[in-house]
């Protein structure tokens, strides 16, 4: 009994350590000056590259939690690490599965055509929810539009978006 | 509508979401998914960059380590009269014969025996070089013509004579031109130089240029780039300022391709051309000061550097900056202090050409590159203040955008070779300083921007780059296979063939000399079993290093492969007549040098066996180019894994077709990956 509790504790410790190392690596590739700080605008990229899928609103909440009192424009690693560790240990902001994402596209495809036109996608992505910037929109359209048909075959596109790294 | 969206948003039961609400929720879901997708791509782009850079710097580190080793050997040999005279002679080529050089006005000898054949169709030059001749040269190189060796040597000779009259520090003024352009590393990439001239015009009285070193090595057209720059300098000596870079150095050229290019393009006259270039390089000024406001140097500064002593030293002493000048005089009371002064001067030159800025305060040895230093913002501040400069412009480091500011905007890095690591890896840039206050304007470019080929999407571009970086990384991993296996087995006490992810990562960190995010790359490098344990054998994907002409065991070939670049440097030092051949004894000596330097375990008998098997026609000579190119990485089916990586072999022809080739090599790279491990490309 005691042995297995020890083992469980050991596993939890090693999981904790691994998660912290993973966060460190992700932080470091964005830390240009190697001084354990990153630009505040890159935090979203780091959080998401670690497999989390927060909304912009949720991301803002995270930022409030860790930003400096004076507006330095930088986030320090020592503040980021404990917050991010907690998120990953608790498995928060896990992306929803592929079929849910597909369903989301189907909701937007009111006529059930099986595809979205460029105009439809553009309208929803810039007018609803947490709107895309012009850059985000163009980048999305460039990869989402089928070069032959000129429309968004969202079933294919969903599988491109959801290929899992792990 | 049939489909309901089961999001975890709290919603009152029994109340159907309105269509509008459902659309908003759907849009948010897609948006956050897309933002995560883009973030992952961005992370891939960043670590790809980290891989390229880390591999580049670990090569430089090897080179410098080897060089320190050479130094101690030379010193040892000069004391030991019964030592191996052969090695001493080979090293003599990197030692400045400066006593002789000063007396003979011409190190390359007479040109009278080199005639222009009547069949020669390339460009003709007559000294002095004019602007019209610069244009002729540019046109000729565009048409892939080669400059006749006689013209080349005449041009180099003229350039050396003019450079000899220059001071260590150039002083440029914009009082007439009202503006000046500063370019960074070009590394033998002619298309980038042409792009700069296309956008910015050729050098003239109204259009002065500073070229901040690293004209040669790595790229396929180092001779052409250096020739055009020197021709520009000869045509406008008061408007073209050339700074020496860390690659304007004979020993660097041995390893990074310039010497190889010379041998390929000027076979019979390669020795003369090499010597002439080395001479020119050793006379290049070390820095340029613009309007007494801006200092332009290749690498950077250190707390040792002072403009005063830089102005005084004899720059010509350093045919290779990698080693301190040797002492020729023996004894004498002041020899000790003279030697100290020499070392002090040498260190300054090394720091100027090799240093990088960092955000840490003070000056620290540059452990990443192995030479020069890291200088902090305090070093920059006090240096600029002391000399009343406003800005330090330097190059030396590839940057994704072609430029980067550091130290509160007081240090500006400029790098002009676009697509440096691979197509799409980075932009090139140059700086225009204009007006009385030298206002900074940065121009970015990509050398082969306007292509008729279908534009790649962001995802495709990153996949291409990533595939190419991963291949470089895999080769490094394979070269350390036995060391890695040993390390893995330390963690696998029960011999299960598996270890934890954490253990795998720490083994990679311990053994590999590149600093990359192993946890992020893990899923692309190894397979896990159902218990999420790493099956560590899959690190090598059943690939192995083979050598076409040698059947020696895995470990011997692995070692030779690992040190292939260092071996090439040693071979080229031995090969004094640039014949491409060295004797069996020299081959064995080169290997023993390596063994002593790297403390690898390889028995003399094993080296002898390799040497024998490489002597194909049994005449006691080894064609080392062939030896070096005969390494192959194959999978267990014997399929060649290296094939598409040799795409640079025919770099000459690459020029015009660069767009199509880039796409083709991308595709083949991707195809290759797919055949090895399908998950690599599909992952996003």
């Amino acid at each position: 009994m005691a042995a297995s509790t020890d083992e469980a504790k050991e596993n939890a410790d090693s999981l904790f350590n691994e998660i912290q190392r993973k966060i460190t690596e992700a932080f470091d590739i964005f830390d240009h000056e190697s001084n354990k700080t990153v630009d505040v605008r890159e935090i979203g990229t780091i959080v998401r590259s670690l497999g989390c899928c927060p909304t912009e609103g949720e991301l803002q909440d995270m930022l409030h939690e860790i930003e400096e009192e004076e507006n330095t424009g930088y986030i320090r690693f020592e503040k980021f690490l404990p917050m991010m560790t907690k998120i990953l240990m608790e498995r928060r902001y896990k992306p929803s599965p592929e079929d849910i994402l597909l369903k989301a596209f189907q909701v937007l495809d009111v006529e059930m055509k099986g595809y979205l036109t460029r105009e439809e996608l553009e309208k929803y992505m810039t007018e609803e929810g947490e709107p895309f910037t012009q850059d985000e929109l163009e980048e999305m359209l460039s990869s989402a539009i089928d070069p032959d048909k000129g429309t968004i075959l969202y079933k294919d596109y969903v599988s491109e978006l959801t290929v899992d790294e792990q | 509508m049939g489909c309901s969206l089961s999001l975890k948003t709290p919603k009152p039961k029994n109340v159907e979401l309105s269509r509008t609400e459902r659309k908003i929720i759907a849009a948010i879901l897609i948006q956050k998914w897309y933002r995560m997708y883009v973030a992952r791509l961005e992370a891939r782009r960043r670590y790809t960059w980290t891989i390229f850079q880390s591999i580049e710097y670990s090569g430089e580190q090897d080179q410098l380590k080897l060089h320190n080793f050479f130094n101690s050997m030379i010193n040892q040999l000069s004391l030991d009269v019964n030592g191996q005279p052969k090695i001493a002679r080979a090293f003599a080529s990197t030692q400045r014969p400066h006593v002789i050089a000063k007396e003979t006005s011409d190190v390359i000898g007479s040109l009278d025996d080199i005639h222009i054949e009547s069949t020669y169709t390339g460009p003709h030059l007559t000294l002095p070089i004019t602007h019209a001749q610069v244009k002729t040269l540019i046109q000729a190189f565009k048409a892939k013509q080669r400059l006749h060796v006689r013209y080349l040597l005449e041009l180099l000779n003229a350039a050396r004579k003019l450079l000899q009259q220059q001071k260590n520090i150039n002083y440029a003024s914009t009082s007439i031109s009202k503006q000046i352009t500063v370019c960074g590393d070009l590394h033998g990439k002619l298309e980038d130089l042409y792009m700069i001239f296309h956008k910015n015009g050729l050098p003239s009285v109204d259009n002065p240029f500073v070229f901040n070193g690293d004209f040669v090595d790595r790229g396929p057209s180092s001779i052409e780039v250096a020739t055009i720059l020197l021709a520009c300098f000869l045509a406008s000596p008061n408007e073209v300022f050339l700074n020496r870079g860390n690659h304007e150095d004979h020993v660097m050229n041995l390893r990074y391709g310039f010497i190889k290019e010379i041998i390929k393009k000027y076979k019979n006259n390669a020795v003369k051309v090499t010597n002439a270039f080395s001479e020119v390089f050793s006379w290049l000024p070390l820095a340029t000061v613009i309007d007494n406001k801006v200092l332009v140097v290749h690498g950077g500064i250190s707390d040792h550097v002072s403009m005063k002593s830089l102005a005084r030293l004899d720059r010509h002493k350093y045919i290779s900056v990698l080693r301190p000048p040797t002492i020729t005089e023996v004894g004498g009371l002041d020899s000790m202090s003279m030697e100290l002064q020499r070392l002090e001067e040498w260190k300054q030159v090394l720091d100027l050409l090799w240093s990088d800025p960092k955000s840490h305060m003070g000056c620290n040895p540059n452990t990443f590159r192995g030479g020069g230093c890291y200088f902090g913002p305090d070093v920059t501040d006090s240096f600029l203040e002391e000399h009343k400069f406003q800005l330090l412009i330097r190059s030396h480091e590839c940057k994704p955008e072609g430029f980067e500011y550091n130290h509160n905007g007081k240090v500006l890095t400029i790098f002009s070779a676009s697509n440096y690591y691979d197509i799409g890896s980075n932009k090139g840039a140059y700086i225009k300083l204009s007006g009385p206050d030298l206002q900074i304007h940065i121009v970015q470019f990509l050398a082969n921007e306007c292509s008729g080929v279908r534009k790649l999407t962001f995802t495709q571009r990153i996949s291409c780059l990533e595939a190419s970086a991963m291949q470089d990384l895999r080769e490094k991993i394979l070269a350390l296979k036995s060391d890695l296996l040993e390390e893995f087995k330390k963690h696998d006490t029960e011999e299960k063939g598996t270890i934890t992810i954490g253990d795998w990562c720490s083994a990679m960190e311990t053994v590999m000399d590149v600093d990359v995010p192993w946890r992020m790359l893990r899923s692309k490098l190894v397979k896990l079993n159902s218990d999420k344990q790493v099956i560590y054998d899959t690190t090598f994907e059943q690939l192995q290093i083979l050598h076409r002409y040698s059947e020696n065991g895995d470990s011997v070939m692995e070692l030779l492969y690992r040190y292939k670049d260092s071996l090439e440097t040693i071979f080229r030092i031995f090969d004094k007549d640039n014949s491409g051949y060295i004797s069996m004894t020299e081959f064995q000596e080169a290997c023993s040098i390596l063994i002593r330097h790297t403390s690898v375990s390889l028995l003399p008998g094993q080296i002898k066996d390799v040497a024998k098997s490489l002597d194909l026609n049994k005449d006691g000579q080894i064609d080392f180019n062939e030896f070096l190119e005969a390494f192959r990485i194959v999978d267990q089916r014997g399929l060649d894994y290296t094939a598409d990586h040799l795409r640079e072999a025919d770099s000459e022809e690459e020029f015009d077709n660069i767009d199509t080739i880039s796409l083709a090599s991308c595709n083949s790279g991707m195809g290759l990956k797919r055949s090895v491990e399908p998950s690599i490309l599909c992952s996003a």
Side-chain angles (χ1 to χ4, degrees):
Chain A
M1 217 33 198
S4 75
T5 326
D6 278 357
E7 206 173 283
K9 191 177 175 302
E10 206 175 283
N11 281 340
D13 279 355
S14 80
L15 177 69
F16 182 81
N17 287 336
E18 254 330 276
I19 282 179
Q20 294 222 318
R21 290 210 186 95
K22 217 170 155 177
I23 297 168
T24 311
E25 276 190 4
F27 192 91
D28 284 350
I29 61 166
F30 289 89
D31 176 13
H32 303 293
E33 296 261 334
S34 320
N35 60 355
K36 288 290 169 195
T37 61
V38 295
D39 192 305
V40 67
R41 287 165 295 183
E42 315 232 63
I43 286 294
T45 313
I46 300 174
V47 170
R48 289 172 170 133
S49 73
L50 284 163
C52 293
C53 193
T55 62
E56 286 291 281
E58 288 162 336
L59 196 64
Q60 283 310 314
D61 294 343
M62 287 183 211
L63 276 176
H64 283 312
E65 200 180 320
I66 55 173
E67 71 194 351
E68 303 295 306
E69 309 226 322
E70 317 135 54
N71 195 10
T72 57
Y74 286 91
I75 297 291
R76 286 186 298 141
F77 180 65
E78 57 190 84
K79 290 212 171 176
F80 179 71
L81 181 67
M83 178 200 71
M84 201 61 217
T85 310
K86 199 158 173 283
I87 291 174
L88 290 183
M89 290 295 279
E90 292 170 2
R91 306 178 65 86
R92 284 159 67 195
Y93 308 118
K94 281 276 142 199
S96 38
E98 188 172 336
D99 56 321
I100 304 289
L101 183 63
L102 181 61
K103 276 181 188 162
F105 274 100
Q106 284 164 345
V107 167
L108 301 185
D109 177 18
V110 185
E111 300 153 40
M112 309 266 284
K113 307 185 291 290
Y115 64 86
L116 289 175
T117 64
R118 183 198 174 98
E119 291 70 29
E120 280 173 318
L121 187 67
E122 193 169 335
K123 185 175 123 247
Y124 290 125
M125 291 301 107
T126 53
E127 290 172 14
E128 303 287 359
E130 298 178 316
F132 276 168
T133 63
Q134 197 57 34
D135 282 352
E136 281 177 310
L137 178 76
E138 273 162 29
E139 195 53 57
M140 185 189 207
L141 289 175
S142 78
S143 55
I145 293 177
D146 183 284
D148 298 326
K149 304 225 165 72
T151 57
I152 295 100
L153 305 172
Y154 51 77
K155 203 162 181 236
D156 296 346
Y157 189 56
V158 164
S159 48
E160 194 188 321
L161 284 182
T162 50
V163 174
D164 196 354
E165 278 206 25
Q166 312 310 313
Chain B
M1 307 241 123
C3 52
S4 73
L5 198 56
S6 59
L7 292 174
K8 283 175 191 156
T9 325
K11 54 180 177 187
K13 267 190 180 169
N14 306 326
V15 178
E16 273 286 303
L17 282 172
S18 77
R19 184 180 280 181
T20 322
E21 282 171 322
R22 287 179 47 200
K23 276 186 187 162
I24 294 173
I25 293 169
I28 292 178
L29 188 87
I30 294 169
Q31 282 156 345
K32 71 177 185 180
W33 250 104
Y34 179 73
R35 285 180 172 127
M36 183 175 74
Y37 170 78
V38 170
R40 285 178 161 185
L41 267 183
E42 182 60 21
R44 283 167 70 193
R45 195 174 73 85
R46 299 294 175 106
Y47 70 58
T48 297
W49 183 267
T50 311
I51 296 171
F52 280 133
Q53 198 178 44
S54 204
I55 290 177
E56 175 187 3
Y57 289 166
S58 93
E60 284 184 0
Q61 236 178 24
D62 275 3
Q63 177 81 344
L64 279 150
K65 269 192 230 151
L66 203 66
H67 215 84
N68 295 337
F69 176 77
F70 288 166
N71 287 340
S72 62
M73 274 207 53
I74 294 161
N75 293 339
Q76 213 180 324
L77 286 170
S78 60
L79 294 173
D80 177 14
V81 260
N82 300 321
Q84 293 155 301
K86 193 175 273 171
I87 294 181
R89 213 173 48 236
F91 285 122
S93 72
T94 60
Q95 284 181 35
R96 152 133 329 275
H98 72 269
V99 183
I100 307 159
K102 268 183 186 159
E103 284 163 9
T104 31
S105 59
D106 196 347
V107 272
I108 53 172
S110 165
L111 298 179
D112 293 343
D113 54 334
I114 306 178
H115 301 287
I116 314 280
E117 304 80 9
S118 55
T119 49
Y120 173 69
T121 53
H124 292 272
L125 291 185
T126 33
L127 296 172
I129 303 287
T130 59
H131 288 106
Q133 297 204 62
V134 171
K135 284 182 191 157
T136 311
L137 267 182
I138 289 176
Q139 285 309 322
F141 290 150
K142 227 174 232 173
K144 295 198 192 59
Q145 290 177 340
R146 194 162 292 166
L147 184 61
H148 195 280
V149 67
R150 170 149 189 164
Y151 292 135
L152 178 63
L153 290 172
E154 281 174 358
L155 183 139
L156 291 173
N157 224 0
R160 175 181 52 85
K161 281 185 187 148
L162 195 56
L163 283 167
Q164 274 177 315
Q165 297 166 22
Q166 310 263 315
K167 302 227 161 61
N168 291 344
I169 303 166
N170 284 318
Y171 283 88
S173 159
T174 63
S175 59
I176 299 172
S177 59
K178 310 295 176 209
Q179 55 96 10
I180 190 165
T181 304
V182 184
C183 302
D185 298 25
L186 284 162
H187 278 304
K189 300 188 80 232
L190 198 54
E191 62 271 44
D192 288 293
L193 180 60
Y194 284 177
M195 180 60 92
I196 294 168
F197 284 158
H198 172 74
K199 282 176 160 310
N200 199 52
L202 288 171
S204 68
V205 179
D206 302 320
N207 198 18
F209 277 81
V210 182
F211 290 98
N212 197 21
D214 280 15
F215 317 133
V216 300
D217 276 341
R218 294 208 160 98
S221 315
S222 292
I223 294 175
E224 289 76 8
V225 169
T227 304
I228 289 176
L229 293 183
L230 291 168
C232 289
F233 166 67
L234 285 169
S236 326
N238 300 316
E239 287 84 35
V240 173
F241 304 94
L242 304 175
N243 286 347
R244 189 173 186 176
N246 66 317
H247 278 269
E248 276 67 58
D249 184 312
H250 181 67
V251 176
M252 293 297 279
N253 298 156
L254 289 168
R255 179 181 185 128
Y256 288 102
F258 185 43
I259 302 286
K260 204 173 170 181
E261 184 186 327
I262 293 176
I263 293 170
K264 190 174 160 194
K265 293 180 180 169
Y266 290 100
K267 193 146 188 48
N268 298 329
N269 295 294
V271 178
K272 280 187 174 167
V273 174
T274 304
N275 289 343
F277 267 115
S278 291
E279 270 298 301
V280 165
F281 290 167
S282 69
W283 282 110
L284 285 171
L286 303 170
T288 300
V289 174
I290 303 171
D291 291 351
N292 285 314
K293 286 178 187 154
V294 176
L295 174 69
V296 188
V297 290
H298 180 72
I301 50 170
S302 70
D303 46 12
H304 281 270
V305 172
S306 106
M307 296 297 281
K308 233 185 215 160
S309 57
L310 271 185
R312 274 201 312 260
L313 59 81
D314 175 11
R315 69 176 186 275
H316 176 53
K317 268 196 305 219
Y318 309 101
I319 197 152
S320 171
V321 180
L322 292 175
R323 64 190 304 268
T326 43
I327 299 121
T328 40
E329 306 93 324
V330 185
L333 271 174
D334 53 3
S335 68
M336 194 62 174
S337 69
M338 276 179 73
E339 187 183 348
L340 278 176
Q341 193 195 330
R342 259 196 207 97
L343 274 175
E344 184 56 33
E345 286 180 1
W346 168 69
K347 204 182 160 326
Q348 288 207 30
V349 178
L350 191 67
D351 286 345
L352 224 52
L353 268 48
W354 277 85
S355 299
D356 297 318
K358 272 274 143 46
S359 57
H360 305 287
M361 294 291 174
C363 231
N364 301 294
N366 195 330
T367 44
F368 207 25
R369 286 184 194 266
C373 75
Y374 294 132
F375 57 101
D378 52 333
V379 179
T380 300
D381 282 343
S382 66
F383 183 87
L384 293 183
E385 197 176 317
E386 186 191 335
H387 297 95
K388 304 207 164 40
F389 295 140
Q390 295 164 3
L391 176 71
L392 170 68
I393 295 179
R394 43 87 60 179
S395 299
H396 195 40
E397 285 178 283
C398 182
K399 299 287 175 190
E401 294 297 316
F403 74 97
E404 192 175 286
Y405 280 102
N406 294 94
H407 296 176
N408 273 323
K410 288 181 182 153
V411 174
L412 174 54
T413 298
I414 190 77
F415 194 87
S416 303
S418 64
N419 304 313
Y420 178 63
Y421 292 121
D422 207 333
I423 305 283
S425 66
N426 65 291
K427 290 179 183 151
Y430 60 86
I431 305 166
K432 259 191 118 75
L433 299 168
S434 55
D437 302 326
L438 296 180
Q439 200 121 39
I440 301 169
H441 176 61
I442 290 164
V443 182
Q444 295 173 288
F445 60 87
L446 276 171
N448 20 75
E449 212 165 15
C450 355
S451 68
V453 188
R454 181 175 63 95
K455 229 185 126 191
L456 296 177
T457 66
F458 190 56
T459 317
Q460 285 167 320
R461 270 207 316 273
I462 289 170
S463 295
C464 277
L465 275 176
E466 186 186 33
S468 143
M470 290 304 282
Q471 175 143 350
D472 290 353
L473 187 62
R474 264 170 228 278
E475 284 176 21
K476 288 224 85 162
I477 291 173
L478 218 51
L480 283 156
K481 185 173 174 179
S482 42
D483 293 30
L484 282 168
L485 268 177
E486 197 180 312
E487 192 69 23
F488 293 152
K489 282 180 180 153
K490 276 187 205 162
H491 297 284
D492 180 24
T493 43
E494 291 170 41
E495 295 180 29
K496 290 184 293 188
T498 57
I499 50 178
T500 65
I501 292 173
D503 286 342
W504 182 84
C505 293
S506 73
M508 297 306 278
E509 278 161 11
T510 314
V511 176
M512 300 288 295
D513 57 355
V514 290
D515 189 12
V516 300
W518 294 109
R519 278 163 191 83
M520 290 188 160
L521 301 173
R522 196 261 311 145
S523 63
K524 303 190 170 161
L525 290 170
V526 281
K527 294 189 174 65
L528 301 183
N529 67 9
S530 48
D531 293 333
K532 297 224 160 173
Q533 298 281 305
V534 173
I535 310 165
Y536 56 76
D537 264 343
T538 60
T539 313
F540 316 106
E541 290 193 289
Q542 292 168 304
L543 294 175
Q544 85 182 107
I545 297 162
L546 282 186
H547 196 276
R548 216 190 297 153
Y549 303 123
S550 182
E551 311 219 319
N552 279 276
D554 238 4
S555 60
V556 181
M557 273 311 140
E558 183 188 312
L559 279 173
L560 294 180
Y561 179 79
R562 187 188 308 171
Y563 294 106
K564 163 164 99 69
D565 295 341
S566 297
L567 272 174
E568 179 168 356
T569 313
I570 303 174
F571 289 158
R572 291 205 188 281
I573 293 175
F574 276 121
D575 180 26
K576 295 218 5 167
D577 58 356
N578 288 341
S579 63
Y581 284 91
I582 53 174
S583 71
M584 300 254 288
T585 332
E586 285 170 325
F587 178 87
Q588 290 175 46
E589 257 173 62
C591 294
S592 345
I593 289 177
L594 193 75
I595 286 167
R596 262 175 285 161
H597 149 67
T598 52
S599 69
V600 297
S601 48
L602 207 58
L603 301 168
Q606 290 176 299
I607 302 170
K608 206 172 174 182
D609 288 346
V610 175
K612 267 191 193 155
S613 67
L614 292 174
D615 180 16
L616 297 178
N617 49 6
K618 306 291 165 212
D619 63 351
Q621 296 284 308
I622 292 171
D623 178 341
F624 65 81
N625 287 312
E626 206 164 331
F627 162 74
L628 293 165
E629 277 157 24
F631 283 106
R632 285 288 174 274
I633 295 177
V634 294
D635 65 13
Q636 83 267 36
R637 289 163 297 170
L639 285 180
D640 199 333
Y641 190 79
T642 15
D644 87 317
H645 209 58
L646 298 173
R647 58 178 179 264
E648 275 176 36
D650 270 318
S651 43
E652 294 234 321
E653 281 64 50
E654 204 169 7
F655 204 86
D656 257 1
N657 307 321
I658 198 139
D659 297 318
T660 37
I661 286 182
S662 70
L663 200 67
S665 62
C666 264
N667 292 338
S668 70
M670 290 164 83
L672 182 77
K673 292 286 156 199
R674 194 166 284 140
S675 71
V676 178
E677 190 188 324
S679 65
I680 289 174
L681 274 164
C682 314
S683 56

